[in-house]
Amino acid sequence: MAVLGVQLVVTLLTATLMHRLAPHCSFARWLLCNGSLFRYKHPSEEELRALAGKQRPRGRRERWANGYSEEKTLCVPRDAPFQLETCPLTAVDALVLRFFLEYQWFVDFAVYSGGVYLFTEAYYYVLGPARETNIAVFWCLLTIAFSLKVFLTVTRLYFGAEQDGERSVCLTFAFVFLLLAMLVQAVPEETLELGLEPGLASVTQNLEPLLKSQGWDWVLPLVKLAIHVGLAILGSTLGAFLTFPGLRLAQTHRDALTMSEDRPMLQFLLHTSFLSPLFILWLWTKPIARNFLHQAPIGGTPVSLLSDSAFDSLRLWVLVALCLLRLAVTRPHLQAYLCLAKVRVEQLRREAGCIEACEIQRRVVRVYCYLTVVSLQYLTPVILTLNCTLLLKTLGGYSWGLGPALPLSPVLAAARDGPVGPKEDEAQQAVARITGALGGLLTPLFLRGTLAFLVWWTAACQLLSSLFGLYFHQHLAGS
């Protein structure tokens, strides 16, 4: 209680609830298995035999009498008129899915992390403790780390496949996004106000006295270069991670629109959700976002609609709203994916010749078994963007517009203290130097620029990959 106070108690309580309630109450399991999603069941072997006009030999003696000792592989015509039955997706069915436990744990952890963040925001808003470490920052950082781990796990599936087509696509997009990440960092702040230039300037200003006192002033240009190269590599990695989620999103978006032809409101939400990355890119384009709202041409004279602080708060609210919107249309996308089983069977019927019965069953089952991977591909970018937004608000010194901004972290404040006293031993002096270096590097302006770059870049990667996916599925997939 003396170190973190109420926040430590809430953290321990949240961890206990997450562990105890997972078998009984899970948002991730409810999202898939509440009965609104249905899957297609593959036709049984008896049904396929009946359509092919073949009967299963009852025993070994009957097989010998028919002239063969071993049962041959059952082949049926591709245009056989079998029907696919549907059944609601249940928790028992989901337990056999690949990565289901990882999916459930990750999504539930993100939900509990959001709950801790909401409590912390209310706690700081009501009481306003000045010297307590904001523990919600660590929850958001853990969620971001787990998001990257999920991306890595899913992307490894494509690198471990027998065919190297997926691997080549990932590497190609990684190289393209590496070039784009370097170009984005060269865009001036007057056009794209990510805050990277003010962030690097604050790092230089804080580290320069410390490095000069140690005779390491030559390291400063290398630090700036390392930051630029690190952001470019991070952008390339994120681009590779988001390639196949974007391609999958384009496919499920098209199918979801087709399935909701008689529901115009749902189609509007689907279109808005698909274009949400474009709105995020617009929020950081200064001439058409901040400048337009700051000096809006109304009646021939420029009128200031929003102040700078109000625009920053509005941008945070829009980011959260867009993430929640994409979360709200999760089920239409997942149902559109499950309906791929029927689409593949219809494509099979347009082909000539025969096919093995087990291959028909495999094509139907493969769609269902891949459901949790598709769910992770859809939800992980949303969770990553939302937690980067929450960190941008807290570590960047922004406000929700409902009250004053939260005080800076005590770690950053301690890094700005004066030099170490001569009476302290060498270990304390070394710790003080390291803390000072970290405090000079992790300034609020630098964190603001880095997190804004992550949010903007994640949206850019999603937009480019999903637009390419639309073009691919509309013009190239059928050719």
Side-chain angles (χ1 to χ4, degrees):
M1 291 293 291
V3 179
L4 293 176
V6 179
Q7 297 186 76
L8 177 60
V9 176
V10 172
T11 295
L12 296 177
L13 179 62
T14 303
T16 304
L17 290 176
M18 184 171 58
H19 176 69
R20 296 294 184 183
L21 295 181
H24 312 286
C25 180
S26 170
F27 175 78
R29 189 169 59 246
W30 172 82
L31 192 62
L32 290 183
C33 309
N34 70 334
S36 61
L37 295 178
F38 63 88
R39 66 182 181 93
Y40 286 93
K41 297 165 57 176
H42 64 78
S44 62
E45 186 175 353
E46 287 75 13
E47 181 182 356
L48 294 177
R49 281 185 177 275
L51 292 175
K54 300 179 181 179
Q55 298 293 331
R56 178 190 293 272
R58 297 181 180 179
R60 181 179 302 177
R61 180 178 301 177
E62 185 174 347
R63 291 198 298 267
W64 278 99
N66 292 333
Y68 51 88
S69 59
E70 295 184 359
E71 187 176 359
K72 295 181 179 180
T73 303
L74 176 62
C75 294
V76 298
R78 293 178 181 266
D79 58 349
F82 58 87
Q83 299 295 327
L84 296 180
E85 298 181 357
T86 61
C87 65
L89 186 62
T90 62
V92 178
D93 298 332
L95 287 176
V96 300
L97 297 178
R98 190 177 186 182
F99 298 123
F100 176 75
L101 296 179
E102 290 84 352
Y103 155 80
Q104 179 179 341
W105 187 91
F106 169 68
V107 175
D108 287 344
F109 182 87
V111 172
Y112 283 105
S113 176
V116 172
Y117 187 88
L118 289 176
F119 171 81
T120 306
E121 289 293 301
Y123 175 66
Y124 273 86
Y125 179 77
V126 175
L127 299 180
R131 300 298 297 177
E132 284 192 18
T133 301
N134 192 340
I135 205 168
V137 172
F138 299 100
W139 280 83
C140 292
L141 288 174
L142 284 175
T143 308
I144 292 175
F146 292 143
S147 301
L148 297 177
K149 181 181 179 298
V150 169
F151 276 136
L152 180 61
T153 302
V154 174
T155 307
R156 284 175 59 186
L157 296 177
Y158 299 105
F159 280 82
E162 297 180 358
Q163 300 179 356
D164 57 351
E166 292 86 354
R167 188 186 311 120
S168 301
V169 171
C170 282
L171 294 177
T172 302
F173 272 84
F175 178 73
V176 172
F177 283 124
L178 177 64
L179 298 179
L180 292 179
M182 291 187 291
L183 290 177
V184 167
Q185 296 182 62
V187 177
E189 289 290 327
E190 290 76 13
T191 303
L192 193 61
E193 53 164 355
L194 295 178
L196 291 177
E197 294 180 6
L200 289 176
S202 66
V203 170
T204 303
Q205 182 180 0
N206 290 341
L207 288 182
E208 188 174 6
L210 180 63
L211 295 177
K212 283 187 176 181
S213 63
Q214 302 294 328
W216 292 353
D217 51 343
W218 55 272
V219 179
L220 198 57
L222 296 180
V223 172
K224 297 175 64 176
L225 178 61
I227 292 174
H228 281 295
V229 173
L231 289 178
I233 294 176
L234 178 60
S236 175
T237 305
L238 275 178
F241 286 162
L242 292 168
T243 297
F244 280 99
L247 297 177
R248 180 71 65 185
L249 176 64
Q251 183 183 31
T252 56
H253 174 70
R254 292 178 67 248
D255 296 340
L257 289 176
T258 304
M259 295 173 57
S260 60
E261 291 180 348
D262 55 342
R263 303 172 64 184
M265 187 60 188
L266 179 57
Q267 286 192 333
F268 172 75
L269 294 178
L270 289 172
H271 282 301
T272 307
S273 173
F274 185 79
L275 295 176
S276 59
L278 182 61
F279 299 148
I280 296 177
L281 301 186
W282 169 74
L283 289 173
W284 269 278
T285 307
K286 194 171 183 179
I288 60 176
R290 185 186 296 271
N291 290 349
F292 178 78
L293 295 177
H294 190 65
Q295 296 179 351
I298 299 178
T301 58
V303 178
S304 179
L305 298 179
L306 291 174
S307 62
D308 289 338
S309 60
F311 176 79
D312 294 332
S313 301
L314 176 63
R315 183 163 52 189
L316 293 174
W317 282 110
V318 171
L319 289 172
V320 174
L322 292 177
C323 291
L324 295 179
L325 173 61
R326 180 157 286 193
L327 180 63
V329 294
T330 301
R331 285 204 183 101
H333 283 87
L334 296 182
Q335 187 58 64
Y337 168 74
L338 289 173
C339 290
L340 278 179
K342 184 178 180 180
V343 174
R344 292 182 178 180
V345 170
E346 292 176 352
Q347 291 176 352
L348 181 66
R349 289 172 178 169
R350 291 193 291 266
E351 300 175 1
C354 295
I355 188 174
E356 296 182 1
C358 59
E359 180 63 23
I360 296 177
Q361 297 173 342
R362 190 179 298 115
R363 290 192 181 190
V364 177
V365 173
R366 189 179 298 163
V367 174
Y368 166 64
C369 292
Y370 205 65
L371 176 62
T372 48
V373 178
V374 175
S375 302
L376 288 174
Q377 289 179 331
Y378 183 86
L379 293 174
T380 306
V382 180
I383 295 174
L384 177 63
T385 303
L386 180 59
N387 283 271
C388 287
T389 302
L390 299 180
L391 283 181
L392 176 62
K393 184 268 170 188
T394 302
L395 297 181
Y398 289 122
S399 171
W400 294 113
L402 305 176
L406 295 183
L408 296 178
S409 173
V411 177
L412 296 178
R416 298 187 182 90
D417 294 341
V420 180
K423 296 183 180 180
E424 297 184 2
D425 55 12
E426 295 181 357
Q428 291 177 335
Q429 293 180 5
V431 171
R433 293 193 191 97
I434 295 175
T435 305
L438 290 177
L441 181 63
L442 302 178
T443 61
L445 286 178
F446 175 73
L447 294 174
R448 181 183 298 183
T450 303
L451 292 170
F453 173 79
L454 288 178
V455 174
W456 189 91
W457 183 252
T458 302
C461 294
Q462 284 186 284
L463 182 64
L464 292 177
S465 59
S466 58
L467 290 179
F468 177 78
L470 279 182
Y471 176 79
F472 174 80
H473 291 295
Q474 189 169 356
H475 299 284
L476 302 179
S479 60

